[in-house]
Amino acid sequence: MRNERPIIALDFPAKEQALQFLGQFEESLFVKVGMELFYQEGPELVREINRLGHDIFLDLKLHDIPNTVESAMRGIAKLDVAMVNVHAAGGIEMMRAAKRGLKGSDTQLIAVTQLTSTSEEQMQREQLISASLEESVVHYARLADEAGLHGVVCSVHEAEAIGDACGEEFLRVTPGIRPAQASVDDQKRVATPAEASRQGSTHIVVGRAITKAANPQDSYNQIRAEWSGQ
């Protein structure tokens, strides 16, 4: 289930910048459209990126009562995206409802465990979770697996443990990926593409290291080669 293409996070404020960036590439990409861009431009941008031949991870992190999430997923199913996510903290019934909403589509459904911007100290103090960060993430992964989801979003550092708990076919989509020399920015649990490969990630998400690079194509090629072990 490992995907050889890094997922590029299109963290742009508007459609024009996103499409200009995509215009620098000739090959089909796997891109992430998150809340910042989706809430500015809406579903039509997703359709436009699809028409350009790119696969889309729609990163909206839905978290609401089961009926609302199921209804929202019925609309998302019509967008023909490759992947979408919910928050595992919404619970098993909400995750099952999300899966029902996607019935009949090929969209993969994954769940966010703990954000890669969250430290263990923050989690324990602010969420009142007394377990370790890894225990919390693996617990959420097991709930997602029980609900019938395809996988989770986690940091590289929990990917191996999730594979052990949920099986190697269970997707482990890992943001917070940075080349060794890059700044960690607002992430706390980061890793290089090579570390992600070694520790069992099935997908990696890369943002500024590609989108802000002087030559995005060269940066993408370098990260893809490192991720693929070439």
Side-chain angles (χ1 to χ4, degrees), residues 204-222:
I204 59 171
V205 181
V206 186
R208 283 163 277 199
I210 296 175
T211 59
K212 301 296 185 184
N215 189 319
Q217 179 75 72
D218 285 351
S219 179
Y220 175 77
N221 291 342
Q222 178 184 349

Side-chain angles (χ1 to χ4, degrees), residues 149-190:
L149 272 61
H150 296 93
V152 292
V153 180
C154 62
S155 88
V156 167
H157 309 294
E158 298 95 36
E160 185 175 4
I162 290 171
D164 291 341
C166 302
E168 287 303 310
E169 295 300 304
F170 195 69
L171 302 183
R172 284 144 284 158
V173 180
T174 54
I177 303 299
R178 300 283 190 277
Q181 70 278 11
S183 166
V184 300
D185 296 311
D186 54 352
Q187 306 279 11
K188 292 187 173 67
R189 297 176 359 259
V190 301

Side-chain angles (χ1 to χ4, degrees), residues 109-139:
L109 178 61
I110 61 175
V112 176
T113 54
Q114 291 285 351
L115 299 174
T116 52
S117 60
T118 300
S119 68
E120 184 166 281
E121 186 276 332
Q122 278 181 298
M123 180 195 75
Q124 293 175 347
R125 178 170 56 86
E126 297 176 11
Q127 300 177 32
L128 291 180
I129 294 175
S130 59
S132 71
L133 187 60
E134 181 175 297
E135 288 170 334
S136 173
V137 169
V138 172
H139 172 66

Side-chain angles (χ1 to χ4, degrees), residues 1-207:
M1 299 299 292
R2 177 188 167 106
N3 193 290
E4 296 300 325
R5 292 178 299 170
I7 300 173
I8 303 175
L10 299 181
D11 295 331
F12 296 103
K15 175 175 71 173
E16 292 75 21
Q17 292 97 316
L19 295 180
Q20 183 180 26
F21 171 80
L22 291 174
Q24 300 175 77
F25 295 83
E26 294 183 359
E27 69 263 49
S28 172
L29 302 173
F30 198 163
V31 300
K32 180 175 79 72
V33 174
M35 287 184 280
E36 178 184 14
L37 190 54
F38 187 80
Y39 290 161
Q40 293 298 319
E41 303 293 347
E44 184 51 40
L45 174 64
V46 172
R47 297 187 186 99
E48 189 161 354
I49 294 173
N50 258 334
R51 286 194 293 267
L52 292 172
H54 304 299
D55 293 320
I56 299 169
F57 167 25
L58 189 57
D59 179 26
L60 298 184
K61 302 181 180 73
L62 299 186
H63 187 172
D64 212 313
I65 62 172
N67 185 62
T68 297
V69 171
E70 182 174 352
S71 296
M73 284 298 180
R74 288 196 197 102
I76 289 171
K78 299 173 185 176
L79 294 177
D80 194 28
V81 296
M83 185 182 289
V84 70
N85 60 359
V86 296
H87 263 291
I92 289 177
E93 288 308 311
M94 187 206 74
M95 289 189 277
R96 286 174 174 161
K99 186 180 178 183
R100 287 195 301 272
L102 291 172
K103 186 176 181 180
S105 79
D106 294 326
T107 300
Q108 292 180 312
L109 178 61
I110 61 175
V112 176
T113 54
Q114 291 285 351
L115 299 174
T116 52
S117 60
T118 300
S119 68
E120 184 166 281
E121 186 276 332
Q122 278 181 298
M123 180 195 75
Q124 293 175 347
R125 178 170 56 86
E126 297 176 11
Q127 300 177 32
L128 291 180
I129 294 175
S130 59
S132 71
L133 187 60
E134 181 175 297
E135 288 170 334
S136 173
V137 169
V138 172
H139 172 66
Y140 279 138
R142 285 195 170 106
L143 293 181
D145 191 28
E146 184 178 343
L149 272 61
H150 296 93
V152 292
V153 180
C154 62
S155 88
V156 167
H157 309 294
E158 298 95 36
E160 185 175 4
I162 290 171
D164 291 341
C166 302
E168 287 303 310
E169 295 300 304
F170 195 69
L171 302 183
R172 284 144 284 158
V173 180
T174 54
I177 303 299
R178 300 283 190 277
Q181 70 278 11
S183 166
V184 300
D185 296 311
D186 54 352
Q187 306 279 11
K188 292 187 173 67
R189 297 176 359 259
V190 301
T192 67
E195 288 170 334
S197 180
R198 289 193 297 269
Q199 296 196 42
S201 300
T202 62
H203 299 65
I204 59 171
V205 181
V206 186

